[in-house]
Amino acid sequence: HIAVLGSANMDLVAYVAKAPRRGETVTGREFRTVPGGKGANQAVAAARAGATVSMIGAIGADTFGAQLRSSLEHSGVDTDLLRSVETPTGTAHIVVDDEGGNAIVVVPGANGTVKGLTPGDEALIASADTLLLQLEIPLKGVLTAARAARRHGVRTVLTPAPAQPLPDELLAATDLLLPNEHEAAALTGIADDPRAAARSLLAQVPEVVITLGAEGSLYAARGAEPVTVPAPRVTAVDTTGAGDTFAGALAVALAEGRPVPDALHWASSAAALSVQRPGASASMPCRKEIDAQANG
Ligand code: ADP
């Protein structure tokens, strides 16, 4: 059983030839609404990967909120602890131009209200094998949840995104830190040397996995040499949500008691499948597909 505490957003994506400058109006080619938010994405990834998953967070009492709840439920995520609040659902306003570049405004909205745990949230975390955390809700909420997990002996996996300085207490309550290369560099000040960045992070957390895009991932634990697990060679069409797919699948494999290198191989198989299809949560593979990719 996996608990996820984090964000749920509706991504509002406009496709244009060239993004407008200040004061300018341009006509777009296409518009899409896409369920997103790192919390919701990781929850969907873990549920598709075959786990029982519950999502703790907040959405607005509005149309986007209702759409997000139903999209989570459609993937099998339990949303009993996803609160409907007065504040509007979080949104990401994304402009994608013809060169594939983007400009994004994120309005946290309801996500900004997740500052603590209800007794029900804490009971759920206590009963989970793993708690997945990211940083798209207030740090106070993340920290409270990490501490609760620690009290109940639940493994915490923290994706430190968006990158920001982390309080020592949060790292102290984290079992596995899961940054991508950029986040690892931001946290340590060490760029272009993931092994050195991982070693530096081990001063504060017992286990680190740094995802390296097409290069795979690097695992480091205290007292052992770091190991690199390569990613399957695939043709990527859309890497949005690759890290979240990886996190969700990794949590499932670890909760099943698989050794970390096996779990990483399985997670990278899941992420490799997701990058070959467009969309974030829409592209996340189910367990059968992950098994086939991992054993193929
Ligand atoms: P994020 O999506 O958070 O930026 P990464 O880019 O590191 O994180 O990707 C996360 C994981 O997704 C990688 O560790 C890898 O397993 C997988 N992945 C990403 N891009 C590719 C790719 N081009 N080919 C194969 N796997 C990929």
Side-chain angles (χ1 to χ4, degrees):
H1 174 211
I2 290 167
V4 181
L5 176 100
S7 58
N9 284 330
M10 190 58 91
D11 293 351
L12 311 175
V13 193
Y15 297 85
V16 298
K18 198 165 174 298
R21 289 187 311 271
R22 185 178 189 189
E24 189 184 11
T25 300
V26 298
T27 300
R29 186 165 16 85
E30 195 193 336
F31 172 72
R32 277 189 217 160
T33 56
V34 188
K38 288 192 161 290
N41 284 349
Q42 294 190 358
V44 168
R48 297 240 183 121
T52 305
V53 180
S54 305
M55 164 109 193
I56 305 170
I59 52 178
D62 48 28
T63 311
F64 290 151
Q67 288 171 347
L68 290 179
R69 186 184 296 281
S70 90
S71 127
L72 284 161
E73 285 171 356
H74 183 75
S75 289
V77 176
D78 186 302
T79 64
D80 285 355
L81 295 175
L82 184 66
R83 287 180 273 288
S84 284
V85 298
E86 289 288 310
T87 319
T89 298
T91 45
H93 304 252
I94 308 176
V95 174
V96 180
D97 65 35
D98 274 353
E99 286 171 14
N102 61 39
I104 305 178
V105 176
V106 175
V107 183
N111 296 305
T113 68
V114 186
K115 292 180 182 155
L117 300 178
T118 64
D121 296 343
E122 174 142 1
L124 179 94
I125 290 171
S127 73
D129 299 291
T130 304
L131 173 66
L132 285 175
L133 298 166
Q134 327 76 31
L135 302 175
E136 289 182 341
I137 58 165
L139 261 182
K140 200 168 159 226
V142 178
L143 184 56
T144 307
R147 284 191 181 132
R150 179 53 55 90
R151 269 201 303 284
H152 296 289
V154 174
R155 189 205 276 261
T156 52
V157 176
L158 171 64
T159 301
Q164 58 191 274
L166 295 181
D168 292 340
E169 311 105 271
L170 179 56
L171 289 169
T174 297
D175 294 305
L176 173 63
L177 189 67
L178 180 58
N180 66 17
E181 258 183 300
H182 311 288
E183 291 142 12
L187 285 173
T188 59
I190 302 170
D192 303 322
D193 190 350
R195 275 174 184 262
R199 251 184 251 115
S200 154
L201 291 167
L202 287 180
Q204 287 183 286
V205 291
E207 290 184 292
V208 176
V209 172
I210 302 180
T211 61
L212 306 170
E215 301 298 312
S217 55
L218 177 83
Y219 170 66
R222 287 181 186 153
E225 266 304 293
V227 288
T228 304
V229 178
R233 280 185 170 278
V234 298
T235 305
V237 302
D238 182 355
T239 59
T240 318
D244 294 329
T245 305
F246 189 97
L250 180 64
V252 174
L254 292 175
E256 288 169 2
R258 299 195 207 189
V260 177
D262 288 1
L264 288 175
H265 174 65
W266 203 68
S268 45
S269 302
L273 287 164
S274 81
V275 302
Q276 293 175 76
R277 310 194 277 235
S281 58
S283 73
M284 289 169 178
C286 68
R287 189 179 183 91
K288 258 199 199 146
E289 297 173 292
I290 305 171
D291 282 338
Q293 170 79 40
N295 301 327

